Amino acid sequence: MKLDLLLRNADIITMDPLRPTATSLGIWQGRIVGLDEDLDGLEAAEVMDLDGATVTPGFIDAHCHSAWFGLGLGELDVSGARGLTQLYALLEAEAAARPAAGAEPHWLMATGFNQQHHGGEFPDIVVLDRITGERPLLMRHNSGHMAVVNTAALRLAGADAASFPDPDGGVVVRDSNGRPTGLVEETAQQLIQQLILPYPIADLEAALERATRHYASEGITSFTEAGIGGGWIGHSPVELAAYQRAARGGRLHARAQLMPVLEVLHPLAAHGRDSHGAAPAGLDLGIATGFGSDFLSLGPAKVFLDGSLLGETAAVSQEFCSHHHKDNAGNVGYFQADPEQLRTEIEAAYAAGWSIAAHAIGDRAVDLAIEIIAGCQRRYGPRAVPNRIEHASMTRPDQLEKLAAAGIAVTPQASFFHEGGDGMTASLGPDRVGWAYRASSFLEAGVTVAGSSDRPVADGNVLRGMQAFVDRRTSSGTLFGNPAECLTPYQALAAYTTGAAAATGAAQDKGSLATGKLADFTVLSGSPLTAERIDGLEVLATAVGGRFTHQALPEQLAVRAGSVQHR
């Protein structure tokens, strides 16, 4: 037998408790053949002497928005602006650089707005209208839970009049005189987005290539796309086709698990015994969670139960301390729909074979998610791909044991600490901030914790995410939440490898470097277990199935040899 690739002279952190470390790793046909002495006597078509560089399992981002991120790379990025004067200047320059043309509305698209960058202030719609004129503007908030628009956009949507009713689960924010402020929250964003959607498949395919090339440069080999096909998070009813085309054309540079949003599922006719008496809802032909290959597959169905902490629209049990809506004392957020309606829709999807990924930020939403998912599991049985709570941002102590007992995985994003930690601390107050974005206490309770970023809502760099799990520092340098929630470097690495693999139902194939598993790995300039700063390390190479998606190795480390024998 001749190996395709042999890595040697490496510091290999396998994340496999049966063989925690190694110095050599052999790859054939995209899978790991063995490590160290397993490789004695085997030849290799290519040998790479890594000169002591560290090899880890490939990083897995268990919750991100790749199409959104890739599209945003082609839009005006306002995340660097500090103060509304700078923001307005960026919009003016964009409007001048891309003048309107033709009879159709020529949208001004911007991404990355965060009021925390502007002293908590939102843009004045009067100023926005002066800058944009009759051109519609859509500026996405980095949380994804709200957007800033101008009067031209609201007029196109028919939502500019004071009498316009808010949609279920959303708000067109207005001042005391009933005039729109330009802020649209939660499902109200769809009023604007439906004027732009759907994106062409070719545009989405190009966006996926941009996004996943970036992922490769950061050591990411797998990701879960948290919402496709519809709702206010999807980009096209045929979004899966863009992924298939990108994969087929070699333009998808990481393995993808896709979550269709619950809204795109529809009633299915099936034999009564097939659904245990419930009316199932799914995709045609009964396609459900797990369909696909180890490169591109369908994950759980994604459902939004509530909103966000930064926007103070999450469903919490005690009111927020600093009010996003200045006149809204007693604000405890809200559900995206009636809880009984959510229960019915989730149960229908579960009955059809779907795992569930429930977006639940506030502790009141976490209660609802646990109750519904646990009930589905009791009635219809467990799922091979675990049910999940996305973010689980505010989790009371009494909820930890319930999560563990139900086997529900969670995806708390450490990436939120730096940019949003100070704002969330102000919103929650000192008595509750210890419940926010738990990590260590989840693990102690036996809950599976998956590393993820929610990119582009937050920074998607995995090494910075690991560092944040370890030190929990905000942009002001203060420690966010409870210091007891800090993870060890090993636990932080596990979140983005073994933890994320388990949460995505792929632990048998990835997350650790062991014989028979997929040859997905990341080469780093040093060990994240011992580095003074994990976020100071460099990603030297990334490989998916033994093929390099990114390589920045010093030339002397990549030694090619037609027939080199391992001894």
Side-chain angles (χ1 to χ4, degrees), residues 305-346:
L305 299 189
D306 68 344
S308 75
L309 280 184
L310 281 177
E312 297 186 354
T313 56
V316 293
S317 57
Q318 302 170 39
E319 69 180 87
F320 289 104
C321 297
S322 67
H323 302 292
H324 169 59
H325 298 300
K326 299 290 190 275
D327 58 346
N328 189 19
N331 176 27
V332 291
Y334 50 86
F335 290 114
Q336 294 276 302
D338 176 75
E340 287 309 309
Q341 177 189 340
L342 289 166
R343 185 192 311 277
T344 299
E345 292 175 352
I346 290 169

mmCIF file of all heavy atoms in Angstrom, residues 305-346:
data_model
loop_
_atom_site.group_PDB
_atom_site.id
_atom_site.type_symbol
_atom_site.label_atom_id
_atom_site.label_comp_id
_atom_site.label_asym_id
_atom_site.label_seq_id
_atom_site.Cartn_x
_atom_site.Cartn_y
_atom_site.Cartn_z
ATOM 1 N N LEU A 305 -37.245 30.913 17.926
ATOM 2 C CA LEU A 305 -38.216 31.080 19.004
ATOM 3 C C LEU A 305 -38.280 32.523 19.487
ATOM 4 O O LEU A 305 -39.339 33.010 19.874
ATOM 5 C CB LEU A 305 -37.875 30.156 20.185
ATOM 6 C CG LEU A 305 -37.865 28.651 19.899
ATOM 7 C CD1 LEU A 305 -37.744 27.872 21.199
ATOM 8 C CD2 LEU A 305 -39.101 28.223 19.137
ATOM 9 N N ASP A 306 -37.125 33.219 19.509
ATOM 10 C CA ASP A 306 -37.120 34.608 19.988
ATOM 11 C C ASP A 306 -36.083 35.407 19.232
ATOM 12 O O ASP A 306 -35.625 34.985 18.157
ATOM 13 C CB ASP A 306 -36.916 34.663 21.512
ATOM 14 C CG ASP A 306 -35.528 34.222 21.963
ATOM 15 O OD1 ASP A 306 -34.803 33.579 21.166
ATOM 16 O OD2 ASP A 306 -35.155 34.516 23.123
ATOM 17 N N GLY A 307 -35.687 36.559 19.784
ATOM 18 C CA GLY A 307 -34.816 37.483 19.081
ATOM 19 C C GLY A 307 -33.389 37.492 19.578
ATOM 20 O O GLY A 307 -32.731 36.462 19.634
ATOM 21 N N SER A 308 -32.889 38.671 19.983
ATOM 22 C CA SER A 308 -31.485 38.804 20.343
ATOM 23 C C SER A 308 -31.339 39.541 21.674
ATOM 24 O O SER A 308 -32.242 40.250 22.115
ATOM 25 C CB SER A 308 -30.723 39.576 19.258
ATOM 26 O OG SER A 308 -30.999 40.965 19.309
ATOM 27 N N LEU A 309 -30.159 39.363 22.291
ATOM 28 C CA LEU A 309 -29.861 40.102 23.518
ATOM 29 C C LEU A 309 -29.515 41.553 23.217
ATOM 30 O O LEU A 309 -29.997 42.470 23.883
ATOM 31 C CB LEU A 309 -28.699 39.443 24.269
ATOM 32 C CG LEU A 309 -29.012 38.207 25.110
ATOM 33 C CD1 LEU A 309 -27.769 37.747 25.853
ATOM 34 C CD2 LEU A 309 -30.131 38.485 26.104
ATOM 35 N N LEU A 310 -28.655 41.775 22.218
ATOM 36 C CA LEU A 310 -28.236 43.140 21.911
ATOM 37 C C LEU A 310 -29.427 44.011 21.517
ATOM 38 O O LEU A 310 -29.495 45.187 21.860
ATOM 39 C CB LEU A 310 -27.178 43.135 20.811
ATOM 40 C CG LEU A 310 -25.752 42.789 21.245
ATOM 41 C CD1 LEU A 310 -24.827 42.752 20.044
ATOM 42 C CD2 LEU A 310 -25.239 43.788 22.274
ATOM 43 N N GLY A 311 -30.371 43.430 20.787
ATOM 44 C CA GLY A 311 -31.559 44.179 20.386
ATOM 45 C C GLY A 311 -32.640 44.173 21.444
ATOM 46 O O GLY A 311 -33.677 44.817 21.267
ATOM 47 N N GLU A 312 -32.402 43.434 22.541
ATOM 48 C CA GLU A 312 -33.358 43.298 23.644
ATOM 49 C C GLU A 312 -34.718 42.819 23.147
ATOM 50 O O GLU A 312 -35.783 43.294 23.572
ATOM 51 C CB GLU A 312 -33.467 44.607 24.445
ATOM 52 C CG GLU A 312 -32.142 44.966 25.115
ATOM 53 C CD GLU A 312 -32.224 46.175 26.049
ATOM 54 O OE1 GLU A 312 -33.284 46.823 26.096
ATOM 55 O OE2 GLU A 312 -31.226 46.450 26.730
ATOM 56 N N THR A 313 -34.673 41.857 22.221
ATOM 57 C CA THR A 313 -35.897 41.219 21.726
ATOM 58 C C THR A 313 -35.942 39.747 22.126
ATOM 59 O O THR A 313 -36.867 39.034 21.728
ATOM 60 C CB THR A 313 -35.998 41.345 20.198
ATOM 61 O OG1 THR A 313 -34.819 40.784 19.587
ATOM 62 C CG2 THR A 313 -36.137 42.786 19.762
ATOM 63 N N ALA A 314 -34.950 39.271 22.888
ATOM 64 C CA ALA A 314 -34.960 37.898 23.378
ATOM 65 C C ALA A 314 -36.043 37.743 24.442
ATOM 66 O O ALA A 314 -36.325 38.674 25.200
ATOM 67 C CB ALA A 314 -33.587 37.549 23.966
ATOM 68 N N ALA A 315 -36.633 36.537 24.503
ATOM 69 C CA ALA A 315 -37.695 36.274 25.479
ATOM 70 C C ALA A 315 -37.071 35.889 26.813
ATOM 71 O O ALA A 315 -36.553 34.783 26.979
ATOM 72 C CB ALA A 315 -38.610 35.165 24.980
ATOM 73 N N VAL A 316 -37.090 36.822 27.762
ATOM 74 C CA VAL A 316 -36.456 36.616 29.068
ATOM 75 C C VAL A 316 -37.530 36.603 30.158
ATOM 76 O O VAL A 316 -38.654 37.064 29.955
ATOM 77 C CB VAL A 316 -35.412 37.715 29.356
ATOM 78 C CG1 VAL A 316 -34.234 37.595 28.395
ATOM 79 C CG2 VAL A 316 -36.024 39.115 29.255
ATOM 80 N N SER A 317 -37.167 36.079 31.314
ATOM 81 C CA SER A 317 -38.137 35.964 32.405
ATOM 82 C C SER A 317 -38.185 37.216 33.279
ATOM 83 O O SER A 317 -39.154 37.431 34.002
ATOM 84 C CB SER A 317 -37.821 34.735 33.261
ATOM 85 O OG SER A 317 -36.492 34.801 33.756
ATOM 86 N N GLN A 318 -37.116 38.017 33.221
ATOM 87 C CA GLN A 318 -37.082 39.281 33.961
ATOM 88 C C GLN A 318 -36.715 40.394 32.982
ATOM 89 O O GLN A 318 -35.903 40.187 32.091
ATOM 90 C CB GLN A 318 -36.043 39.228 35.079
ATOM 91 C CG GLN A 318 -36.256 38.110 36.091
ATOM 92 C CD GLN A 318 -35.065 37.970 37.025
ATOM 93 O OE1 GLN A 318 -34.471 38.955 37.439
ATOM 94 N NE2 GLN A 318 -34.693 36.726 37.342
ATOM 95 N N GLU A 319 -37.281 41.573 33.169
ATOM 96 C CA GLU A 319 -37.099 42.632 32.187
ATOM 97 C C GLU A 319 -35.634 43.038 32.030
ATOM 98 O O GLU A 319 -34.822 42.905 32.940
ATOM 99 C CB GLU A 319 -37.934 43.847 32.563
ATOM 100 C CG GLU A 319 -37.472 44.592 33.799
ATOM 101 C CD GLU A 319 -38.360 45.788 34.094
ATOM 102 O OE1 GLU A 319 -39.378 45.615 34.773
ATOM 103 O OE2 GLU A 319 -38.014 46.891 33.623
ATOM 104 N N PHE A 320 -35.338 43.537 30.838
ATOM 105 C CA PHE A 320 -34.000 44.047 30.556
ATOM 106 C C PHE A 320 -33.733 45.292 31.396
ATOM 107 O O PHE A 320 -34.643 46.061 31.720
ATOM 108 C CB PHE A 320 -33.847 44.380 29.076
ATOM 109 C CG PHE A 320 -33.790 43.171 28.186
ATOM 110 C CD1 PHE A 320 -34.885 42.792 27.430
ATOM 111 C CD2 PHE A 320 -32.650 42.401 28.119
ATOM 112 C CE1 PHE A 320 -34.843 41.682 26.607
ATOM 113 C CE2 PHE A 320 -32.591 41.284 27.310
ATOM 114 C CZ PHE A 320 -33.697 40.924 26.551
ATOM 115 N N CYS A 321 -32.448 45.487 31.728
ATOM 116 C CA CYS A 321 -32.072 46.598 32.614
ATOM 117 C C CYS A 321 -31.858 47.907 31.873
ATOM 118 O O CYS A 321 -32.121 48.981 32.409
ATOM 119 C CB CYS A 321 -30.796 46.234 33.378
ATOM 120 S SG CYS A 321 -31.014 44.815 34.471
ATOM 121 N N SER A 322 -31.330 47.828 30.659
ATOM 122 C CA SER A 322 -31.177 49.055 29.864
ATOM 123 C C SER A 322 -32.054 48.873 28.640
ATOM 124 O O SER A 322 -31.985 47.852 27.974
ATOM 125 C CB SER A 322 -29.720 49.247 29.435
ATOM 126 O OG SER A 322 -29.322 48.253 28.523
ATOM 127 N N HIS A 323 -32.879 49.875 28.343
ATOM 128 C CA HIS A 323 -33.957 49.638 27.395
ATOM 129 C C HIS A 323 -33.585 50.121 26.005
ATOM 130 O O HIS A 323 -33.365 51.293 25.752
ATOM 131 C CB HIS A 323 -35.241 50.311 27.875
ATOM 132 C CG HIS A 323 -35.654 49.814 29.227
ATOM 133 N ND1 HIS A 323 -36.082 48.537 29.431
ATOM 134 C CD2 HIS A 323 -35.642 50.415 30.445
ATOM 135 C CE1 HIS A 323 -36.358 48.365 30.721
ATOM 136 N NE2 HIS A 323 -36.090 49.494 31.349
ATOM 137 N N HIS A 324 -33.553 49.131 25.100
ATOM 138 C CA HIS A 324 -33.314 49.438 23.693
ATOM 139 C C HIS A 324 -34.410 50.365 23.169
ATOM 140 O O HIS A 324 -34.150 51.313 22.446
ATOM 141 C CB HIS A 324 -33.278 48.116 22.926
ATOM 142 C CG HIS A 324 -33.302 48.245 21.453
ATOM 143 N ND1 HIS A 324 -32.345 48.937 20.766
ATOM 144 C CD2 HIS A 324 -34.180 47.780 20.528
ATOM 145 C CE1 HIS A 324 -32.621 48.878 19.470
ATOM 146 N NE2 HIS A 324 -33.724 48.190 19.303
ATOM 147 N N HIS A 325 -35.647 50.091 23.565
ATOM 148 C CA HIS A 325 -36.744 51.026 23.293
ATOM 149 C C HIS A 325 -36.875 51.906 24.532
ATOM 150 O O HIS A 325 -37.310 51.459 25.583
ATOM 151 C CB HIS A 325 -38.054 50.277 23.042
ATOM 152 C CG HIS A 325 -37.991 49.378 21.858
ATOM 153 N ND1 HIS A 325 -37.725 49.831 20.599
ATOM 154 C CD2 HIS A 325 -38.148 48.033 21.748
ATOM 155 C CE1 HIS A 325 -37.734 48.822 19.756
ATOM 156 N NE2 HIS A 325 -37.973 47.725 20.424
ATOM 157 N N LYS A 326 -36.524 53.151 24.411
ATOM 158 C CA LYS A 326 -36.402 54.029 25.569
ATOM 159 C C LYS A 326 -37.722 54.152 26.356
ATOM 160 O O LYS A 326 -37.722 54.355 27.553
ATOM 161 C CB LYS A 326 -35.953 55.423 25.103
ATOM 162 C CG LYS A 326 -34.595 55.430 24.401
ATOM 163 C CD LYS A 326 -33.454 55.162 25.367
ATOM 164 C CE LYS A 326 -32.101 55.400 24.727
ATOM 165 N NZ LYS A 326 -31.591 54.290 23.990
ATOM 166 N N ASP A 327 -38.854 54.013 25.630
ATOM 167 C CA ASP A 327 -40.134 54.170 26.304
ATOM 168 C C ASP A 327 -40.759 52.823 26.681
ATOM 169 O O ASP A 327 -41.938 52.740 26.983
ATOM 170 C CB ASP A 327 -41.107 54.937 25.398
ATOM 171 C CG ASP A 327 -41.329 54.239 24.054
ATOM 172 O OD1 ASP A 327 -40.545 53.326 23.739
ATOM 173 O OD2 ASP A 327 -42.284 54.620 23.353
ATOM 174 N N ASN A 328 -39.951 51.769 26.650
ATOM 175 C CA ASN A 328 -40.505 50.432 26.827
ATOM 176 C C ASN A 328 -40.012 49.804 28.121
ATOM 177 O O ASN A 328 -39.346 48.779 28.115
ATOM 178 C CB ASN A 328 -40.131 49.561 25.619
ATOM 179 C CG ASN A 328 -40.869 48.225 25.635
ATOM 180 O OD1 ASN A 328 -41.882 48.085 26.312
ATOM 181 N ND2 ASN A 328 -40.358 47.269 24.902
ATOM 182 N N ALA A 329 -40.335 50.429 29.257
ATOM 183 C CA ALA A 329 -40.015 49.826 30.545
ATOM 184 C C ALA A 329 -40.821 48.543 30.687
ATOM 185 O O ALA A 329 -41.935 48.427 30.190
ATOM 186 C CB ALA A 329 -40.350 50.791 31.666
ATOM 187 N N GLY A 330 -40.236 47.577 31.377
ATOM 188 C CA GLY A 330 -40.905 46.285 31.525
ATOM 189 C C GLY A 330 -40.691 45.370 30.343
ATOM 190 O O GLY A 330 -41.378 44.349 30.218
ATOM 191 N N ASN A 331 -39.742 45.685 29.463
ATOM 192 C CA ASN A 331 -39.487 44.875 28.270
ATOM 193 C C ASN A 331 -38.901 43.514 28.644
ATOM 194 O O ASN A 331 -37.834 43.427 29.245
ATOM 195 C CB ASN A 331 -38.515 45.629 27.347
ATOM 196 C CG ASN A 331 -38.117 44.804 26.132
ATOM 197 O OD1 ASN A 331 -38.862 43.940 25.679
ATOM 198 N ND2 ASN A 331 -36.931 45.084 25.606
ATOM 199 N N VAL A 332 -39.609 42.445 28.292
ATOM 200 C CA VAL A 332 -39.100 41.078 28.493
ATOM 201 C C VAL A 332 -38.970 40.352 27.157
ATOM 202 O O VAL A 332 -38.926 39.122 27.105
ATOM 203 C CB VAL A 332 -39.998 40.267 29.459
ATOM 204 C CG1 VAL A 332 -39.900 40.812 30.877
ATOM 205 C CG2 VAL A 332 -41.447 40.232 28.968
ATOM 206 N N GLY A 333 -38.862 41.123 26.064
ATOM 207 C CA GLY A 333 -38.712 40.511 24.754
ATOM 208 C C GLY A 333 -39.985 39.820 24.307
ATOM 209 O O GLY A 333 -41.052 39.993 24.904
ATOM 210 N N TYR A 334 -39.873 39.027 23.239
ATOM 211 C CA TYR A 334 -41.074 38.367 22.729
ATOM 212 C C TYR A 334 -40.686 37.149 21.897
ATOM 213 O O TYR A 334 -39.575 37.021 21.403
ATOM 214 C CB TYR A 334 -41.926 39.327 21.896
ATOM 215 C CG TYR A 334 -41.193 40.108 20.822
ATOM 216 C CD1 TYR A 334 -40.986 39.580 19.554
ATOM 217 C CD2 TYR A 334 -40.718 41.405 21.066
ATOM 218 C CE1 TYR A 334 -40.329 40.302 18.566
ATOM 219 C CE2 TYR A 334 -40.064 42.145 20.100
ATOM 220 C CZ TYR A 334 -39.872 41.586 18.845
ATOM 221 O OH TYR A 334 -39.219 42.288 17.872
ATOM 222 N N PHE A 335 -41.650 36.247 21.763
ATOM 223 C CA PHE A 335 -41.479 35.074 20.900
ATOM 224 C C PHE A 335 -41.738 35.475 19.452
ATOM 225 O O PHE A 335 -42.482 36.423 19.180
ATOM 226 C CB PHE A 335 -42.431 33.953 21.321
ATOM 227 C CG PHE A 335 -42.074 33.309 22.640
ATOM 228 C CD1 PHE A 335 -42.916 33.434 23.732
ATOM 229 C CD2 PHE A 335 -40.893 32.587 22.785
ATOM 230 C CE1 PHE A 335 -42.596 32.847 24.951
ATOM 231 C CE2 PHE A 335 -40.561 32.003 23.992
ATOM 232 C CZ PHE A 335 -41.403 32.127 25.082
ATOM 233 N N GLN A 336 -41.142 34.721 18.538
ATOM 234 C CA GLN A 336 -41.316 35.010 17.112
ATOM 235 C C GLN A 336 -42.705 34.641 16.610
ATOM 236 O O GLN A 336 -43.126 35.095 15.551
ATOM 237 C CB GLN A 336 -40.264 34.247 16.302
ATOM 238 C CG GLN A 336 -38.841 34.710 16.546
ATOM 239 C CD GLN A 336 -38.466 35.909 15.718
ATOM 240 O OE1 GLN A 336 -38.527 35.870 14.495
ATOM 241 N NE2 GLN A 336 -38.064 36.979 16.368
ATOM 242 N N ALA A 337 -43.387 33.787 17.357
ATOM 243 C CA ALA A 337 -44.762 33.413 17.025
ATOM 244 C C ALA A 337 -45.411 32.899 18.296
ATOM 245 O O ALA A 337 -44.746 32.736 19.329
ATOM 246 C CB ALA A 337 -44.783 32.345 15.925
ATOM 247 N N ASP A 338 -46.701 32.640 18.223
ATOM 248 C CA ASP A 338 -47.401 32.085 19.378
ATOM 249 C C ASP A 338 -46.761 30.748 19.770
ATOM 250 O O ASP A 338 -46.540 29.894 18.903
ATOM 251 C CB ASP A 338 -48.866 31.866 19.019
ATOM 252 C CG ASP A 338 -49.624 31.211 20.153
ATOM 253 O OD1 ASP A 338 -49.918 31.891 21.144
ATOM 254 O OD2 ASP A 338 -49.887 29.992 20.047
ATOM 255 N N PRO A 339 -46.430 30.550 21.042
ATOM 256 C CA PRO A 339 -45.747 29.314 21.461
ATOM 257 C C PRO A 339 -46.482 28.039 21.053
ATOM 258 O O PRO A 339 -45.834 27.054 20.687
ATOM 259 C CB PRO A 339 -45.664 29.461 22.981
ATOM 260 C CG PRO A 339 -45.617 30.930 23.214
ATOM 261 C CD PRO A 339 -46.520 31.515 22.171
ATOM 262 N N GLU A 340 -47.816 28.043 21.090
ATOM 263 C CA GLU A 340 -48.544 26.831 20.695
ATOM 264 C C GLU A 340 -48.432 26.583 19.196
ATOM 265 O O GLU A 340 -48.373 25.433 18.750
ATOM 266 C CB GLU A 340 -50.010 26.932 21.119
ATOM 267 C CG GLU A 340 -50.201 26.768 22.615
ATOM 268 C CD GLU A 340 -49.515 25.518 23.166
ATOM 269 O OE1 GLU A 340 -49.723 24.419 22.608
ATOM 270 O OE2 GLU A 340 -48.740 25.650 24.139
ATOM 271 N N GLN A 341 -48.397 27.661 18.413
ATOM 272 C CA GLN A 341 -48.173 27.513 16.976
ATOM 273 C C GLN A 341 -46.776 26.953 16.717
ATOM 274 O O GLN A 341 -46.590 26.057 15.880
ATOM 275 C CB GLN A 341 -48.333 28.864 16.277
ATOM 276 C CG GLN A 341 -48.039 28.831 14.780
ATOM 277 C CD GLN A 341 -48.002 30.228 14.175
ATOM 278 O OE1 GLN A 341 -48.543 31.172 14.739
ATOM 279 N NE2 GLN A 341 -47.347 30.351 13.035
ATOM 280 N N LEU A 342 -45.773 27.467 17.446
ATOM 281 C CA LEU A 342 -44.409 26.958 17.304
ATOM 282 C C LEU A 342 -44.350 25.476 17.665
ATOM 283 O O LEU A 342 -43.719 24.676 16.973
ATOM 284 C CB LEU A 342 -43.454 27.756 18.191
ATOM 285 C CG LEU A 342 -43.169 29.196 17.749
ATOM 286 C CD1 LEU A 342 -42.497 29.977 18.872
ATOM 287 C CD2 LEU A 342 -42.295 29.208 16.496
ATOM 288 N N ARG A 343 -45.028 25.109 18.739
ATOM 289 C CA ARG A 343 -45.037 23.716 19.167
ATOM 290 C C ARG A 343 -45.619 22.809 18.062
ATOM 291 O O ARG A 343 -45.055 21.768 17.729
ATOM 292 C CB ARG A 343 -45.843 23.572 20.453
ATOM 293 C CG ARG A 343 -45.824 22.168 21.048
ATOM 294 C CD ARG A 343 -46.876 22.035 22.155
ATOM 295 N NE ARG A 343 -46.818 23.130 23.109
ATOM 296 C CZ ARG A 343 -45.959 23.161 24.147
ATOM 297 N NH1 ARG A 343 -45.127 22.165 24.345
ATOM 298 N NH2 ARG A 343 -45.970 24.195 24.967
ATOM 299 N N THR A 344 -46.745 23.227 17.498
ATOM 300 C CA THR A 344 -47.392 22.423 16.453
ATOM 301 C C THR A 344 -46.491 22.256 15.240
ATOM 302 O O THR A 344 -46.356 21.151 14.687
ATOM 303 C CB THR A 344 -48.719 23.093 16.038
ATOM 304 O OG1 THR A 344 -49.582 23.158 17.178
ATOM 305 C CG2 THR A 344 -49.400 22.316 14.928
ATOM 306 N N GLU A 345 -45.850 23.347 14.813
ATOM 307 C CA GLU A 345 -44.998 23.300 13.624
ATOM 308 C C GLU A 345 -43.747 22.473 13.872
ATOM 309 O O GLU A 345 -43.301 21.710 12.998
ATOM 310 C CB GLU A 345 -44.631 24.724 13.195
ATOM 311 C CG GLU A 345 -45.833 25.513 12.682
ATOM 312 C CD GLU A 345 -45.495 26.955 12.377
ATOM 313 O OE1 GLU A 345 -44.363 27.394 12.707
ATOM 314 O OE2 GLU A 345 -46.361 27.662 11.820
ATOM 315 N N ILE A 346 -43.156 22.603 15.059
ATOM 316 C CA ILE A 346 -41.960 21.835 15.370
ATOM 317 C C ILE A 346 -42.287 20.341 15.455
ATOM 318 O O ILE A 346 -41.551 19.490 14.938
ATOM 319 C CB ILE A 346 -41.324 22.337 16.681
ATOM 320 C CG1 ILE A 346 -40.714 23.725 16.478
ATOM 321 C CG2 ILE A 346 -40.261 21.359 17.183
ATOM 322 C CD1 ILE A 346 -40.293 24.419 17.768
#
